[in-house]
Amino acid sequence: MFSTLRNIFKVPDLRRRVLFTLAMLAVFRIGSYIPVPNVNARLFDPTQNAFLGILNTFSGGALQNFSIFAMSITPYITASIIVQLLAMDVIPKFAEWSKEGEHGRRKLAQVTRYLTVVLGLIQAVGFALSFDRMIPGLIIDKGFATIAMIAITLTAGTAFLMWLGEQITEKGIGNGISLIIFAGIIARVAPGINQIYNAWFYTHPERLFLNLVYVALLLVGILIVIVGVIYVQQGVRRIPVQYAKRMVGPRMYGGQTTHIPLKVNAAGVIPVIFATSLLIFPSTVASWFQPKPWANWIVANLGPRSWMYVLLEVLLIIGFTYFYTAVQINPQQLADQMRKNSGYIPGVRPGKPTEQFITRVMNRITLAGALFLAAVSVLPYLFSNVTTLNLYFGGTSLLIVVSVALETMKQLESQLLQRHYKGFIR
């Protein structure tokens, strides 16, 4: 591993990309400590609220500091969900752009940026008004100008993070948005360890042996989840493809055997991020209108510890896994390409039967990947109910961290192999 890390810095272009990514993540972490003007952040403790605790984890503690990055990248994720859903033949123009290749994707990305600013401004105003009502004295010298300045500052912070993520994607390594979330979650590991120490060892020093057993079980559970995530993320179902021999002039082409690699979890960690962001939104909006009865009902019944929240998250993760897999893999296109190149799956007729076969296999393996994602995401809520700890670094966070780390490793691997260096995977 150390020789591989040395190889990374031997390649000038790759070294520049790695250093650029680290510099951008450092900017994100520095911004997490720059407070919003006219806010007394010392009065604010998001860990007492389940939804705010999740937001605080994704923002890397920026919400707890009420910094310029307090909303993190969640408005962008929500905007991406809305635009992708609208592009599924809901708005014909969006559907047309989605089929135009790189040019169409740029147009959809521009719409996503504008929608991010609109959603960010709405969420920022809600944050300022609801938090001031819940915590008297949080906003200093409150008035229209102060609320407007706080909302604009928070929205600008989200827009800057969106730009930062795009720069990492273009000039750095991997998916910039995922790396920002990854950095935020990693930053909350140390506070999580401190919380466990205070709750188990500092408060109950007489239960030292029992506390050590709890820690050992927790570490074993984390290890099992990490191994499971790696196993599922690397899992591939290979569909064999045979190409017929054909004469082109005096030469004969084809005749070779290859395969179509269908990943068990082709959607990666995107469904978990989408589901979590979508479930946070209604409770956040309802908190603006508390203590009205309907708002109290939504906050109480859609809290992360409620059975309704867990059920909705499981269903959303499964749904988004199928949705995002369908966006990435088109069985009809695969079948048409094989038919045009005289390829076929042994035992399956070309054309429509091939498309149906690929769809059937894809649906079956996607179900396994979706159920695994849902099971891992439920773990932190079970852990919180058993231990009564408000610890939000759990299954979802661990899943995101491991998945993003694997994806980043693959990016570095491909760059190294192109230059004839050995990578991480032997």
Side-chain angles (χ1 to χ4, degrees), residues 406-424:
L406 282 173
E407 192 62 35
T408 304
M409 187 182 72
K410 288 180 181 178
Q411 294 280 345
L412 295 173
E413 185 88 12
S414 62
Q415 294 285 338
L416 288 171
L417 291 177
Q418 286 177 9
R419 295 163 175 85
H420 309 291
Y421 284 99
K422 289 183 179 180
F424 291 95

Side-chain angles (χ1 to χ4, degrees), residues 97-117:
W97 287 346
S98 66
K99 299 174 183 177
E100 289 182 357
E102 184 62 27
H103 180 68
R105 283 195 292 271
R106 288 181 180 177
K107 290 183 178 180
L108 289 175
Q110 192 69 13
V111 173
T112 304
R113 294 188 193 103
Y114 290 139
L115 185 57
T116 298
V117 173

Side-chain angles (χ1 to χ4, degrees), residues 144-309:
F144 176 79
T146 302
I147 297 296
M149 181 177 63
I150 292 174
I152 292 173
T153 303
L154 290 174
T155 306
T158 295
F160 180 77
L161 280 183
M162 176 178 62
W163 175 84
L164 206 66
E166 291 177 351
Q167 293 302 306
I168 293 174
T169 302
E170 181 181 349
K171 302 177 182 179
I173 53 173
N175 189 328
I177 300 300
S178 297
L179 283 174
I180 288 175
I181 298 174
F182 171 87
I185 293 173
I186 290 296
R188 300 306 299 166
V189 173
I193 294 174
N194 186 57
Q195 185 179 350
I196 291 176
Y197 172 79
N198 290 332
W200 289 354
F201 293 92
Y202 184 78
T203 308
H204 302 286
E206 72 281 358
R207 301 188 313 190
L208 178 61
F209 178 76
L210 187 60
N211 290 334
L212 290 174
V213 172
Y214 287 158
V215 170
L217 292 175
L218 179 62
L219 293 176
V220 170
I222 291 175
L223 181 61
I224 291 173
V225 171
I226 291 175
V227 172
V229 170
I230 295 173
Y231 183 78
V232 172
Q233 291 294 93
Q234 300 290 90
V236 175
R237 167 72 158 85
R238 296 182 177 181
I239 299 179
V241 178
Q242 178 71 42
Y243 286 93
K245 294 182 180 180
R246 54 195 176 95
M247 294 292 296
V248 179
R251 295 188 178 183
M252 181 174 290
Y253 293 90
Q256 74 271 22
T257 302
T258 182
H259 64 270
I260 301 174
L262 293 181
K263 296 187 67 174
V264 175
N265 182 24
V269 75
I270 298 298
V272 178
I273 299 175
F274 277 11
T276 304
S277 301
L278 205 61
L279 283 174
I280 286 173
F281 187 74
S283 183
T284 303
V285 173
S287 66
W288 304 344
F289 299 95
Q290 285 183 309
K292 292 185 178 180
W294 64 269
N296 290 335
W297 185 90
I298 291 177
V299 172
N301 289 277
L302 286 180
R305 292 187 178 183
S306 68
W307 66 268
M308 189 179 296
Y309 177 93

Side-chain angles (χ1 to χ4, degrees), residues 20-61:
F20 179 83
T21 301
L22 294 176
M24 293 300 99
L25 294 180
V27 170
F28 163 60
R29 293 306 305 145
I30 292 171
S32 300
Y33 292 94
I34 300 176
V36 173
N38 289 330
V39 172
N40 187 1
R42 289 177 296 179
L43 299 176
F44 187 59
D45 184 11
T47 59
Q48 301 302 317
N49 181 283
F51 280 105
L52 297 182
I54 295 174
L55 282 175
N56 189 53
T57 299
F58 282 178
S59 67

